[in-house]
């Protein structure tokens, strides 16, 4: 089964300091057909005005990843975690048994554009935790690079789920393959740019989900700017 989720079909919340697109049901946006995919629960594409952001609030029992596309995002939580996230970096916060945190645009003059990603953990009420990791874009040009994994392999962020997050940057001349296992689920999200995947053209915000599929997919960048593609390898 192949699911197609187009960017313009996502939920949209806009007002004041926040413009947000929801791949799956979130907050006031509800669509019973899109409640998540395997352990992947949320992909929100957020644009936050200068100096604005999400004030302190609580979460529990969720693995939360933040991926900045443009600008800078300031994080603080009551576990002692904190820092400023910029393009090329990935932030992980494991809410565990409960954590209070805030996310603000670190700039008073430029907006911040980022993805907020939630993955359901494989355990409940663990100790909250936080980490941030920079990844060299050169390692992703024309090849898959591991960004998050259950064991922190290869310098990736270690998350509490049998899930792997990989990323690739594809220019117009770049191609990569993707072998998918029918015992696993896969969600492929185009964060920016555009790409062709076995005859399908995907633009920024578009996504494909794969379940019970055995195939080797071929991906090729298209357009002037490199395509930034994230791949979630999830439990079946």
């Amino acid at each position: 089964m192949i699911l197609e989720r187009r960017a313009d079909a996502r939920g949209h919340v806009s007002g004041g300091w926040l413009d947000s697109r929801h791949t799956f049901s979130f907050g006031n946006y509800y669509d019973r057909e899109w409640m998540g995919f395997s352990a992947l629960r949320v992909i929100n594409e957020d644009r936050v005005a200068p100096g604005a952001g999400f004030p302190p609030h609580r979460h529990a029992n969720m693995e939360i990843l933040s991926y900045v596309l443009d600008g800078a995002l300031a994080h603080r939580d009551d576990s002692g975690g904190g820092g400023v996230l910029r393009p090329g970096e990935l932030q992980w916060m494991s809410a565990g048994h409960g954590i209070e945190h805030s996310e603000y645009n670190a700039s008073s003059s430029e907006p911040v554009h980022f993805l907020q990603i939630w993955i359901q953990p494989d355990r409940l009420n663990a100790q909250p935790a936080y980490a941030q990791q920079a990844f060299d874009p050169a390692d992703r040009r024309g090849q898959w690079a591991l960004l998050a994994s259950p064991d922190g392999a290869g310098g990736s962020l270690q998350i509490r789920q049998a899930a792997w997050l990989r990323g690739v940057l594809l220019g117009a001349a770049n191609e990569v393959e993707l072998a998918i296992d029918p015992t696993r689920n896969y969600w492929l999200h185009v964060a920016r740019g555009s790409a062709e995947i076995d005859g399908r053209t995907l633009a920024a915000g578009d996504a494909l989900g794969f379940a019970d599929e055995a195939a080797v997919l071929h991906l090729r960048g298209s357009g002037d700017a490199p395509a930034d593609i994230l791949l979630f390898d999830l439990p079946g």
Side-chain angles (χ1 to χ4, degrees):
M1 177 178 65
I2 301 177
L3 302 176
E4 187 174 271
R5 184 63 158 155
R6 291 292 177 176
D8 59 5
R10 295 176 296 175
H12 184 208
V13 175
S14 181
W17 56 272
L18 175 66
D19 185 275
S20 186
R21 306 275 176 168
H22 302 331
T23 296
F24 304 111
S25 294
F26 183 87
N28 292 329
Y29 168 65
Y30 173 76
D31 185 337
R32 64 181 182 180
E33 300 298 322
W34 295 100
M35 298 301 296
F37 182 79
S38 181
L40 181 60
R41 179 60 188 84
V42 167
I43 301 180
N44 290 348
E45 182 179 0
D46 292 340
R47 289 176 170 85
V48 176
F54 303 91
H57 58 286
R58 293 192 68 79
H59 291 299
N61 293 317
M62 195 65 68
E63 303 292 281
I64 300 175
L65 300 171
S66 296
Y67 182 73
V68 172
L69 298 170
D70 292 297
L73 183 70
H75 168 91
R76 186 177 299 277
D77 66 58
D78 62 3
S79 78
V84 176
L85 191 71
R86 294 180 172 84
E89 298 178 316
L90 185 67
Q91 173 190 286
W92 165 71
M93 183 183 74
S94 186
H97 57 65
I99 192 169
E100 183 175 273
H101 74 110
S102 63
E103 312 288 338
Y104 278 91
N105 188 337
S107 171
S108 61
S109 59
E110 300 293 333
V112 61
H113 178 198
F114 70 102
L115 299 180
Q116 179 185 166
I117 299 157
W118 292 12
I119 296 174
Q120 294 172 333
D122 62 5
R123 70 205 75 172
L124 296 178
N125 300 324
Q127 184 70 23
Y130 170 87
Q132 182 174 321
Q133 180 67 40
F135 296 92
D136 188 344
D139 293 336
R140 288 190 285 152
R141 292 192 183 112
Q143 61 185 357
W144 292 108
L146 186 60
L147 306 179
S149 66
D151 57 2
S156 62
L157 286 177
Q158 186 172 358
I159 61 175
R160 294 163 173 170
Q161 180 54 270
W164 287 258
L165 172 59
R166 294 178 173 87
V168 66
L169 298 173
L170 292 179
N174 298 138
E175 296 185 15
V176 292
E177 292 185 345
L178 171 60
I180 58 177
D181 179 346
T183 67
R184 302 282 296 173
N185 292 318
Y186 301 86
W187 189 264
L188 187 147
H189 181 92
V190 179
R192 64 166 70 226
S194 60
E196 295 180 3
I197 301 172
D198 284 355
R200 299 175 190 252
T201 299
L202 300 183
D206 291 341
L208 294 175
F210 302 88
D212 300 317
E213 290 284 327
V216 177
L217 307 178
H218 300 86
L219 291 75
R220 181 170 64 87
S222 61
D224 297 330
D228 188 347
I229 300 173
L230 300 177
L231 175 70
F232 299 86
D233 179 345
L234 302 158

